[in-house]
Amino acid sequence: MLFRSSYGVGGYQTFSRFGNDYLMTPGWGSYGNPVLPFNQIQSGQGFYVKGQSAGGSIQFEENDKTPDSSRLVFRPSGGDISAIRSSLFTVTPAERKIGDGILVHYADDFSSSIDDMDGRKFVNNGLNVFVRRDSYKLAVERRSTISETDTIYLGVTGLLRQNYEWDIEMLNLQYPGRIAFLLDNFTG
């Protein structure tokens, strides 16, 4: 799904299923708060679908349509998810705008290997934030429960000479005795 980025052009939203709801990454822009579910495709809205490796099909029926094309579902997400959401904002004296972001979701039943549950990053010509895992760039990564030596490798492309601000949210990651570190290897 496209959104208007801080560069004034389209970017992509990645929708991931959490229980009965879909949450978006990076969120914000015309889609609003990324922790609120977004469970409907709006009339006329374009989208990509990534299926299982074995292939498949998707079909929409006339009775799948809703009579209202507005965002109807705004309720708290079902259940608590353990995740890290990282968003990069452009900052000027007049405003703070979402540039891009990622989500890493942790659960016992997820694999720490790249699989069909991970959301690949659609790289664009503007600002891109992604999780670098093996040879993949991911917008959403689902991996098994966080471990003591867990590392998320963030990648960023398309930076301009301007001010940026990271927003890093830890969602339900209270592990006694564990500390998170941010290591910046920027060499420019």
Side-chain angles (χ1 to χ4, degrees):
M1 304 270 185
L2 289 173
F3 75 101
R4 183 166 294 283
S5 73
S6 57
Y7 293 102
V9 297
Y12 291 99
Q13 296 283 356
T14 302
F15 291 80
S16 303
R17 188 173 178 171
F18 294 93
N20 293 323
D21 292 321
Y22 288 86
L23 299 180
M24 64 197 122
T25 300
W28 304 111
S30 58
Y31 288 89
N33 191 326
V35 299
L36 296 176
F38 194 91
N39 292 341
Q40 294 181 337
I41 299 167
Q42 304 298 298
S43 178
Q45 192 170 27
F47 60 95
Y48 295 97
V49 175
K50 181 188 174 297
Q52 300 294 323
S53 301
S57 64
I58 186 168
Q59 182 173 332
F60 295 100
E61 303 289 338
E62 188 64 28
N63 62 0
D64 293 331
K65 293 181 180 179
T66 156
D68 184 6
S69 65
S70 66
R71 295 170 47 162
L72 297 175
V73 183
F74 285 98
R75 63 182 187 276
S77 176
D80 293 327
I81 65 168
S82 295
I84 297 174
R85 178 185 298 278
S86 183
S87 303
L88 185 59
F89 290 82
T90 59
V91 180
T92 67
E95 62 187 347
R96 181 179 187 253
K97 292 173 85 174
I98 183 68
D100 202 3
I102 58 94
L103 177 75
V104 178
H105 180 200
Y106 296 95
D108 291 336
D109 55 342
F110 293 151
S111 169
S112 288
S113 300
I114 299 296
D115 62 17
D116 289 333
M117 296 294 289
D118 300 305
R120 305 301 197 279
K121 173 69 179 173
F122 283 102
V123 177
N124 62 65
N125 291 331
L127 183 61
N128 293 281
V129 175
F130 50 88
V131 175
R132 186 180 303 273
R133 183 74 180 245
D134 299 328
S135 61
Y136 296 97
K137 294 178 181 175
L138 304 171
V140 176
E141 182 180 16
R142 290 188 163 163
R143 55 168 85 175
S144 58
T145 304
I146 197 165
S147 67
E148 189 172 327
T149 58
D150 215 335
T151 302
I152 300 169
Y153 294 95
L154 289 178
V156 180
T157 61
L159 293 171
L160 300 175
R161 284 193 176 269
Q162 63 184 57
N163 292 325
Y164 294 94
E165 193 173 281
W166 281 106
D167 185 14
I168 301 174
E169 298 174 76
M170 309 294 239
L171 308 169
N172 300 308
L173 291 173
Q174 298 83 6
Y175 295 99
R178 291 207 183 149
I179 300 171
F181 294 93
L182 176 63
L183 178 62
D184 182 359
N185 284 333
F186 179 69
T187 58

